[in-house]
Amino acid sequence: MGNAPHQRPHHQERGLQWRLSCVVFAILSALLSAVPVVANVAKTSRESVAPRSGMLIPLYMYPVPGAWDPLYTAIQTHPSVDFIVVINPASGPGAGALPDSNFAREIMRMNSYPNVRTIGYVAANYGRKAAAEAFAEIGKYTGWSQSNPQLAMQGIFLDESPQLADSPNRTFLEQIRTNVKSNKALSGGLLVMNPGMIPDNQILQTADRTVVFEERYQTYVNLQAAKQLAALPDRNALVCLMHSIPADMDKVQIKAIVNELRELAGSIFLTDLSDLYYQQFSPRFQDFVDAMV
């Protein structure tokens, strides 16, 4: 309806890049161990308590009345869980200076919860978008706050961020970081970037949080991605987004995979949906949030 954005067109390309980047690592790991990931997780979850993590929710659905209710329920019933919620009216802030009345109503409600930070969506086209164009979109989110503090974003979600640390990409990311951090209207100035895979080390910690895994559950298992993710520094700054979790996975198994991801990343997202998974809530969404505590 209206301005609801489409699922990102580059996801299949990005998934292929992740799989290729993991092939050599997976082959070497397979020589060392063939134990299934969830079996290891179940053992770990019995022996120790996983570190605390929050949830990052790519909220790419148009807010007709009731559409965001599953998220409100999760937020209200889990006050100890921190939620970073990506607001995305139209693959960015949209054409108007302000969000429409439906978005405005729901953003104000979302911002009323103390365990929620809302951040505005900007697509970087893997560094091909001009910095000035990105600044203009960030500026629109700034305008929301200036018009009504209840519409304020607490930062920016830089989707399709660069993966390679060449000079143009480093310059672009530093410009974005400076813009966001110096913008007082973005209260808190949180910068989350999403290359969809592990970027080059030189740019890995450019942002406050970086999405280092955005793939299917089975890809995570087949390539033993946990081993590669565990080698990265500062788990608090890492984000894992996992979709296509088997629909028949019970609550004990869900708790196990959640605990493993909590060991690896400070923010996570899980769903059993395999299509349009950022544009609708799974019927089991509450189960995934319950497993966070």
Side-chain angles (χ1 to χ4, degrees):
M1 178 178 181
N3 293 328
H6 297 291
Q7 195 79 25
R8 288 196 312 279
H10 298 294
H11 178 74
Q12 290 182 339
E13 172 189 341
R14 182 149 52 186
L16 177 61
Q17 290 171 333
W18 168 266
R19 288 188 287 272
L20 290 174
S21 72
C22 288
V23 166
V24 174
F25 188 90
I27 291 173
L28 293 175
S29 298
L31 298 176
L32 299 175
S33 173
V35 180
V37 171
V38 171
N40 288 335
V41 176
K43 181 179 178 181
T44 301
S45 65
R46 291 193 300 268
E47 294 176 350
S48 62
V49 177
R52 187 171 183 268
S53 295
M55 299 198 76
L56 187 142
I57 309 294
L59 192 60
Y60 298 174
M61 64 189 73
Y62 189 81
V64 296
W68 294 3
D69 282 358
L71 180 54
Y72 293 135
T73 298
I75 291 167
Q76 292 167 350
T77 57
H78 296 90
S80 64
V81 177
D82 293 327
F83 292 82
I84 299 172
V85 179
V86 183
I87 302 297
N88 184 12
S91 296
L98 295 172
D100 70 21
S101 59
N102 286 323
F103 266 104
R105 178 192 66 243
E106 301 302 327
I107 290 169
M108 288 189 288
R109 180 178 177 184
M110 193 69 70
N111 278 338
S112 71
Y113 295 104
N115 56 330
V116 172
R117 283 187 287 181
T118 52
I119 58 177
Y121 179 99
V122 173
N125 197 16
Y126 301 103
R128 293 188 289 270
K129 175 175 283 187
E133 187 178 351
F135 293 163
E137 294 185 20
I138 295 170
K140 283 193 174 184
Y141 292 117
T142 298
W144 294 5
S145 173
Q146 293 170 339
S147 174
N148 181 349
Q150 291 179 291
L151 294 175
M153 297 290 99
Q154 284 80 59
I156 293 296
F157 183 80
L158 189 68
D159 197 19
E160 300 174 358
S161 61
Q163 301 158 348
L164 303 178
D166 59 24
S167 180
N169 285 341
R170 291 198 306 271
T171 298
F172 175 82
L173 289 173
E174 285 299 333
Q175 289 175 329
I176 296 295
R177 178 180 175 85
T178 299
N179 183 280
V180 171
K181 292 298 181 182
S182 63
N183 193 329
K184 294 181 179 179
L186 297 173
S187 58
L190 180 69
L191 178 60
V192 180
M193 69 177 186
N194 181 21
M197 59 182 294
I198 301 171
D200 285 351
N201 287 337
Q202 297 94 320
I203 59 175
L204 177 59
Q205 297 183 23
T206 301
D208 300 300
R209 309 282 174 89
T210 300
V211 178
V212 291
F213 182 85
E214 185 183 19
E215 254 297 345
R216 301 170 59 89
Y217 166 82
Q218 200 58 50
T219 299
Y220 176 86
V221 173
N222 290 348
L223 298 182
Q224 299 186 32
K227 294 183 179 181
Q228 189 171 5
L229 297 174
L232 298 175
D234 192 5
R235 63 163 291 279
N236 291 328
L238 306 180
V239 181
C240 291
L241 310 178
M242 181 181 291
H243 62 89
S244 306
I245 290 176
D248 60 354
M249 185 176 283
D250 63 29
K251 291 184 179 182
V252 173
Q253 292 171 311
I254 289 174
K255 182 67 173 179
I257 189 62
V258 165
N259 280 353
E260 176 156 314
L261 291 178
R262 286 170 60 184
E263 294 283 351
L264 300 171
S267 300
I268 65 177
F269 170 83
L270 304 93
T271 181
D272 56 349
L273 300 178
S274 58
D275 187 41
L276 301 177
Y277 33 83
Y278 300 150
Q279 294 175 261
Q280 57 188 320
F281 290 108
S282 162
R284 301 198 68 186
F285 177 69
Q286 191 70 33
D287 289 344
F288 295 118
V289 182
D290 289 345
M292 294 291 295
V293 297

PDB file of all heavy atoms in Angstrom, residues 197-220:
ATOM      1  N   MET A 197      27.484  -8.456   4.563  1.00  0.00           N
ATOM      2  CA  MET A 197      28.518  -9.472   4.734  1.00  0.00           C
ATOM      3  C   MET A 197      29.660  -8.811   5.485  1.00  0.00           C
ATOM      4  O   MET A 197      29.610  -7.617   5.788  1.00  0.00           O
ATOM      5  CB  MET A 197      29.003  -9.990   3.368  1.00  0.00           C
ATOM      6  CG  MET A 197      29.571  -8.905   2.471  1.00  0.00           C
ATOM      7  SD  MET A 197      30.095  -9.485   0.854  1.00  0.00           S
ATOM      8  CE  MET A 197      31.462 -10.554   1.295  1.00  0.00           C
ATOM      9  N   ILE A 198      30.682  -9.557   5.791  1.00  0.00           N
ATOM     10  CA  ILE A 198      31.817  -8.982   6.501  1.00  0.00           C
ATOM     11  C   ILE A 198      32.600  -8.079   5.548  1.00  0.00           C
ATOM     12  O   ILE A 198      33.113  -8.552   4.530  1.00  0.00           O
ATOM     13  CB  ILE A 198      32.733 -10.085   7.048  1.00  0.00           C
ATOM     14  CG1 ILE A 198      31.956 -10.989   8.004  1.00  0.00           C
ATOM     15  CG2 ILE A 198      33.945  -9.480   7.758  1.00  0.00           C
ATOM     16  CD1 ILE A 198      32.709 -12.231   8.438  1.00  0.00           C
ATOM     17  N   PRO A 199      32.704  -6.781   5.838  1.00  0.00           N
ATOM     18  CA  PRO A 199      33.474  -5.891   4.971  1.00  0.00           C
ATOM     19  C   PRO A 199      34.961  -5.974   5.290  1.00  0.00           C
ATOM     20  O   PRO A 199      35.374  -6.646   6.243  1.00  0.00           O
ATOM     21  CB  PRO A 199      32.914  -4.509   5.312  1.00  0.00           C
ATOM     22  CG  PRO A 199      32.572  -4.622   6.771  1.00  0.00           C
ATOM     23  CD  PRO A 199      32.088  -6.054   6.958  1.00  0.00           C
ATOM     24  N   ASP A 200      35.743  -5.286   4.491  1.00  0.00           N
ATOM     25  CA  ASP A 200      37.178  -5.222   4.753  1.00  0.00           C
ATOM     26  C   ASP A 200      37.436  -4.663   6.155  1.00  0.00           C
ATOM     27  O   ASP A 200      36.689  -3.808   6.648  1.00  0.00           O
ATOM     28  CB  ASP A 200      37.869  -4.323   3.721  1.00  0.00           C
ATOM     29  CG  ASP A 200      37.992  -5.004   2.365  1.00  0.00           C
ATOM     30  OD1 ASP A 200      37.708  -6.208   2.270  1.00  0.00           O
ATOM     31  OD2 ASP A 200      38.376  -4.304   1.394  1.00  0.00           O
ATOM     32  N   ASN A 201      38.507  -5.137   6.779  1.00  0.00           N
ATOM     33  CA  ASN A 201      38.805  -4.740   8.152  1.00  0.00           C
ATOM     34  C   ASN A 201      38.920  -3.238   8.331  1.00  0.00           C
ATOM     35  O   ASN A 201      38.540  -2.690   9.368  1.00  0.00           O
ATOM     36  CB  ASN A 201      40.106  -5.409   8.619  1.00  0.00           C
ATOM     37  CG  ASN A 201      39.942  -6.888   8.876  1.00  0.00           C
ATOM     38  OD1 ASN A 201      38.826  -7.351   9.130  1.00  0.00           O
ATOM     39  ND2 ASN A 201      41.029  -7.640   8.808  1.00  0.00           N
ATOM     40  N   GLN A 202      39.444  -2.556   7.303  1.00  0.00           N
ATOM     41  CA  GLN A 202      39.684  -1.117   7.434  1.00  0.00           C
ATOM     42  C   GLN A 202      38.399  -0.313   7.585  1.00  0.00           C
ATOM     43  O   GLN A 202      38.434   0.818   8.066  1.00  0.00           O
ATOM     44  CB  GLN A 202      40.470  -0.593   6.225  1.00  0.00           C
ATOM     45  CG  GLN A 202      41.863  -1.194   6.075  1.00  0.00           C
ATOM     46  CD  GLN A 202      41.865  -2.394   5.149  1.00  0.00           C
ATOM     47  OE1 GLN A 202      40.956  -3.222   5.167  1.00  0.00           O
ATOM     48  NE2 GLN A 202      42.899  -2.485   4.318  1.00  0.00           N
ATOM     49  N   ILE A 203      37.280  -0.870   7.169  1.00  0.00           N
ATOM     50  CA  ILE A 203      36.021  -0.132   7.310  1.00  0.00           C
ATOM     51  C   ILE A 203      35.031  -0.833   8.234  1.00  0.00           C
ATOM     52  O   ILE A 203      33.928  -0.321   8.456  1.00  0.00           O
ATOM     53  CB  ILE A 203      35.346   0.127   5.940  1.00  0.00           C
ATOM     54  CG1 ILE A 203      35.053  -1.194   5.212  1.00  0.00           C
ATOM     55  CG2 ILE A 203      36.201   1.049   5.085  1.00  0.00           C
ATOM     56  CD1 ILE A 203      34.275  -1.002   3.919  1.00  0.00           C
ATOM     57  N   LEU A 204      35.427  -1.964   8.807  1.00  0.00           N
ATOM     58  CA  LEU A 204      34.507  -2.735   9.631  1.00  0.00           C
ATOM     59  C   LEU A 204      33.959  -1.924  10.791  1.00  0.00           C
ATOM     60  O   LEU A 204      32.782  -2.031  11.130  1.00  0.00           O
ATOM     61  CB  LEU A 204      35.205  -3.998  10.154  1.00  0.00           C
ATOM     62  CG  LEU A 204      34.392  -4.884  11.102  1.00  0.00           C
ATOM     63  CD1 LEU A 204      33.118  -5.371  10.424  1.00  0.00           C
ATOM     64  CD2 LEU A 204      35.219  -6.066  11.581  1.00  0.00           C
ATOM     65  N   GLN A 205      34.804  -1.099  11.397  1.00  0.00           N
ATOM     66  CA  GLN A 205      34.376  -0.367  12.583  1.00  0.00           C
ATOM     67  C   GLN A 205      34.137   1.116  12.314  1.00  0.00           C
ATOM     68  O   GLN A 205      34.194   1.939  13.224  1.00  0.00           O
ATOM     69  CB  GLN A 205      35.403  -0.561  13.692  1.00  0.00           C
ATOM     70  CG  GLN A 205      35.513  -2.024  14.130  1.00  0.00           C
ATOM     71  CD  GLN A 205      36.467  -2.238  15.284  1.00  0.00           C
ATOM     72  OE1 GLN A 205      36.751  -1.329  16.042  1.00  0.00           O
ATOM     73  NE2 GLN A 205      36.949  -3.455  15.426  1.00  0.00           N
ATOM     74  N   THR A 206      33.830   1.441  11.048  1.00  0.00           N
ATOM     75  CA  THR A 206      33.492   2.828  10.732  1.00  0.00           C
ATOM     76  C   THR A 206      32.217   3.248  11.438  1.00  0.00           C
ATOM     77  O   THR A 206      32.094   4.371  11.932  1.00  0.00           O
ATOM     78  CB  THR A 206      33.307   3.009   9.209  1.00  0.00           C
ATOM     79  OG1 THR A 206      34.514   2.630   8.546  1.00  0.00           O
ATOM     80  CG2 THR A 206      32.970   4.456   8.869  1.00  0.00           C
ATOM     81  N   ALA A 207      31.240   2.338  11.490  1.00  0.00           N
ATOM     82  CA  ALA A 207      29.943   2.621  12.088  1.00  0.00           C
ATOM     83  C   ALA A 207      29.894   2.121  13.525  1.00  0.00           C
ATOM     84  O   ALA A 207      30.768   1.385  13.983  1.00  0.00           O
ATOM     85  CB  ALA A 207      28.836   1.971  11.264  1.00  0.00           C
ATOM     86  N   ASP A 208      28.832   2.507  14.237  1.00  0.00           N
ATOM     87  CA  ASP A 208      28.625   2.005  15.597  1.00  0.00           C
ATOM     88  C   ASP A 208      28.236   0.534  15.579  1.00  0.00           C
ATOM     89  O   ASP A 208      28.590  -0.224  16.477  1.00  0.00           O
ATOM     90  CB  ASP A 208      27.528   2.819  16.291  1.00  0.00           C
ATOM     91  CG  ASP A 208      27.879   4.286  16.388  1.00  0.00           C
ATOM     92  OD1 ASP A 208      28.902   4.604  17.009  1.00  0.00           O
ATOM     93  OD2 ASP A 208      27.131   5.103  15.817  1.00  0.00           O
ATOM     94  N   ARG A 209      27.474   0.137  14.561  1.00  0.00           N
ATOM     95  CA  ARG A 209      27.067  -1.250  14.380  1.00  0.00           C
ATOM     96  C   ARG A 209      27.210  -1.592  12.889  1.00  0.00           C
ATOM     97  O   ARG A 209      26.937  -0.749  12.037  1.00  0.00           O
ATOM     98  CB  ARG A 209      25.607  -1.486  14.798  1.00  0.00           C
ATOM     99  CG  ARG A 209      25.235  -0.981  16.187  1.00  0.00           C
ATOM    100  CD  ARG A 209      25.717  -1.895  17.282  1.00  0.00           C
ATOM    101  NE  ARG A 209      25.470  -1.331  18.605  1.00  0.00           N
ATOM    102  CZ  ARG A 209      24.368  -1.512  19.299  1.00  0.00           C
ATOM    103  NH1 ARG A 209      23.387  -2.246  18.806  1.00  0.00           N
ATOM    104  NH2 ARG A 209      24.235  -0.978  20.501  1.00  0.00           N
ATOM    105  N   THR A 210      27.598  -2.836  12.608  1.00  0.00           N
ATOM    106  CA  THR A 210      27.738  -3.287  11.225  1.00  0.00           C
ATOM    107  C   THR A 210      27.069  -4.642  11.063  1.00  0.00           C
ATOM    108  O   THR A 210      27.326  -5.565  11.840  1.00  0.00           O
ATOM    109  CB  THR A 210      29.227  -3.401  10.835  1.00  0.00           C
ATOM    110  OG1 THR A 210      29.859  -2.132  10.966  1.00  0.00           O
ATOM    111  CG2 THR A 210      29.361  -3.879   9.384  1.00  0.00           C
ATOM    112  N   VAL A 211      26.217  -4.757  10.051  1.00  0.00           N
ATOM    113  CA  VAL A 211      25.605  -6.044   9.724  1.00  0.00           C
ATOM    114  C   VAL A 211      26.655  -6.902   9.020  1.00  0.00           C
ATOM    115  O   VAL A 211      27.106  -6.567   7.929  1.00  0.00           O
ATOM    116  CB  VAL A 211      24.371  -5.871   8.820  1.00  0.00           C
ATOM    117  CG1 VAL A 211      23.774  -7.239   8.461  1.00  0.00           C
ATOM    118  CG2 VAL A 211      23.318  -4.995   9.507  1.00  0.00           C
ATOM    119  N   VAL A 212      27.031  -7.999   9.656  1.00  0.00           N
ATOM    120  CA  VAL A 212      28.082  -8.865   9.107  1.00  0.00           C
ATOM    121  C   VAL A 212      27.528 -10.190   8.599  1.00  0.00           C
ATOM    122  O   VAL A 212      28.262 -10.997   8.013  1.00  0.00           O
ATOM    123  CB  VAL A 212      29.195  -9.123  10.146  1.00  0.00           C
ATOM    124  CG1 VAL A 212      29.987  -7.839  10.398  1.00  0.00           C
ATOM    125  CG2 VAL A 212      28.612  -9.676  11.456  1.00  0.00           C
ATOM    126  N   PHE A 213      26.241 -10.413   8.845  1.00  0.00           N
ATOM    127  CA  PHE A 213      25.596 -11.612   8.299  1.00  0.00           C
ATOM    128  C   PHE A 213      24.150 -11.269   8.001  1.00  0.00           C
ATOM    129  O   PHE A 213      23.415 -10.788   8.867  1.00  0.00           O
ATOM    130  CB  PHE A 213      25.647 -12.783   9.287  1.00  0.00           C
ATOM    131  CG  PHE A 213      25.036 -14.055   8.748  1.00  0.00           C
ATOM    132  CD1 PHE A 213      25.789 -14.929   7.974  1.00  0.00           C
ATOM    133  CD2 PHE A 213      23.702 -14.358   8.979  1.00  0.00           C
ATOM    134  CE1 PHE A 213      25.225 -16.095   7.456  1.00  0.00           C
ATOM    135  CE2 PHE A 213      23.133 -15.527   8.473  1.00  0.00           C
ATOM    136  CZ  PHE A 213      23.893 -16.396   7.702  1.00  0.00           C
ATOM    137  N   GLU A 214      23.719 -11.515   6.763  1.00  0.00           N
ATOM    138  CA  GLU A 214      22.326 -11.323   6.346  1.00  0.00           C
ATOM    139  C   GLU A 214      22.008 -12.422   5.343  1.00  0.00           C
ATOM    140  O   GLU A 214      22.184 -12.257   4.141  1.00  0.00           O
ATOM    141  CB  GLU A 214      22.116  -9.935   5.727  1.00  0.00           C
ATOM    142  CG  GLU A 214      20.656  -9.660   5.401  1.00  0.00           C
ATOM    143  CD  GLU A 214      20.435  -8.319   4.732  1.00  0.00           C
ATOM    144  OE1 GLU A 214      21.423  -7.753   4.200  1.00  0.00           O
ATOM    145  OE2 GLU A 214      19.293  -7.831   4.721  1.00  0.00           O
ATOM    146  N   GLU A 215      21.564 -13.539   5.876  1.00  0.00           N
ATOM    147  CA  GLU A 215      21.415 -14.712   5.014  1.00  0.00           C
ATOM    148  C   GLU A 215      20.412 -15.699   5.612  1.00  0.00           C
ATOM    149  O   GLU A 215      19.880 -15.507   6.693  1.00  0.00           O
ATOM    150  CB  GLU A 215      22.775 -15.414   4.835  1.00  0.00           C
ATOM    151  CG  GLU A 215      23.400 -15.212   3.465  1.00  0.00           C
ATOM    152  CD  GLU A 215      22.580 -15.782   2.331  1.00  0.00           C
ATOM    153  OE1 GLU A 215      21.661 -16.586   2.584  1.00  0.00           O
ATOM    154  OE2 GLU A 215      22.851 -15.423   1.182  1.00  0.00           O
ATOM    155  N   ARG A 216      20.206 -16.794   4.885  1.00  0.00           N
ATOM    156  CA  ARG A 216      19.348 -17.883   5.315  1.00  0.00           C
ATOM    157  C   ARG A 216      19.987 -18.663   6.469  1.00  0.00           C
ATOM    158  O   ARG A 216      21.211 -18.741   6.580  1.00  0.00           O
ATOM    159  CB  ARG A 216      19.099 -18.850   4.145  1.00  0.00           C
ATOM    160  CG  ARG A 216      18.462 -18.240   2.933  1.00  0.00           C
ATOM    161  CD  ARG A 216      18.481 -19.204   1.742  1.00  0.00           C
ATOM    162  NE  ARG A 216      17.777 -20.431   2.071  1.00  0.00           N
ATOM    163  CZ  ARG A 216      16.478 -20.617   1.893  1.00  0.00           C
ATOM    164  NH1 ARG A 216      15.748 -19.632   1.379  1.00  0.00           N
ATOM    165  NH2 ARG A 216      15.905 -21.762   2.211  1.00  0.00           N
ATOM    166  N   TYR A 217      19.141 -19.254   7.281  1.00  0.00           N
ATOM    167  CA  TYR A 217      19.623 -20.121   8.351  1.00  0.00           C
ATOM    168  C   TYR A 217      20.488 -21.252   7.787  1.00  0.00           C
ATOM    169  O   TYR A 217      21.551 -21.561   8.333  1.00  0.00           O
ATOM    170  CB  TYR A 217      18.428 -20.698   9.113  1.00  0.00           C
ATOM    171  CG  TYR A 217      18.774 -21.858  10.029  1.00  0.00           C
ATOM    172  CD1 TYR A 217      19.288 -21.625  11.296  1.00  0.00           C
ATOM    173  CD2 TYR A 217      18.585 -23.179   9.615  1.00  0.00           C
ATOM    174  CE1 TYR A 217      19.610 -22.684  12.139  1.00  0.00           C
ATOM    175  CE2 TYR A 217      18.909 -24.233  10.453  1.00  0.00           C
ATOM    176  CZ  TYR A 217      19.418 -23.991  11.703  1.00  0.00           C
ATOM    177  OH  TYR A 217      19.738 -25.040  12.526  1.00  0.00           O
ATOM    178  N   GLN A 218      20.055 -21.874   6.699  1.00  0.00           N
ATOM    179  CA  GLN A 218      20.783 -23.025   6.178  1.00  0.00           C
ATOM    180  C   GLN A 218      22.155 -22.628   5.654  1.00  0.00           C
ATOM    181  O   GLN A 218      23.110 -23.413   5.747  1.00  0.00           O
ATOM    182  CB  GLN A 218      19.979 -23.729   5.082  1.00  0.00           C
ATOM    183  CG  GLN A 218      20.419 -25.171   4.838  1.00  0.00           C
ATOM    184  CD  GLN A 218      20.317 -26.033   6.094  1.00  0.00           C
ATOM    185  OE1 GLN A 218      19.283 -26.049   6.777  1.00  0.00           O
ATOM    186  NE2 GLN A 218      21.378 -26.750   6.423  1.00  0.00           N
ATOM    187  N   THR A 219      22.286 -21.424   5.128  1.00  0.00           N
ATOM    188  CA  THR A 219      23.600 -20.930   4.711  1.00  0.00           C
ATOM    189  C   THR A 219      24.520 -20.800   5.918  1.00  0.00           C
ATOM    190  O   THR A 219      25.699 -21.171   5.865  1.00  0.00           O
ATOM    191  CB  THR A 219      23.459 -19.570   4.004  1.00  0.00           C
ATOM    192  OG1 THR A 219      22.640 -19.726   2.846  1.00  0.00           O
ATOM    193  CG2 THR A 219      24.815 -19.014   3.594  1.00  0.00           C
ATOM    194  N   TYR A 220      23.977 -20.291   6.996  1.00  0.00           N
ATOM    195  CA  TYR A 220      24.734 -20.171   8.244  1.00  0.00           C
ATOM    196  C   TYR A 220      25.261 -21.530   8.705  1.00  0.00           C
ATOM    197  O   TYR A 220      26.428 -21.666   9.091  1.00  0.00           O
ATOM    198  CB  TYR A 220      23.813 -19.553   9.297  1.00  0.00           C
ATOM    199  CG  TYR A 220      24.378 -19.424  10.684  1.00  0.00           C
ATOM    200  CD1 TYR A 220      25.139 -18.312  11.043  1.00  0.00           C
ATOM    201  CD2 TYR A 220      24.119 -20.392  11.659  1.00  0.00           C
ATOM    202  CE1 TYR A 220      25.640 -18.178  12.329  1.00  0.00           C
ATOM    203  CE2 TYR A 220      24.616 -20.254  12.942  1.00  0.00           C
ATOM    204  CZ  TYR A 220      25.368 -19.153  13.275  1.00  0.00           C
ATOM    205  OH  TYR A 220      25.867 -19.015  14.538  1.00  0.00           O
TER     206      TYR A 220
END
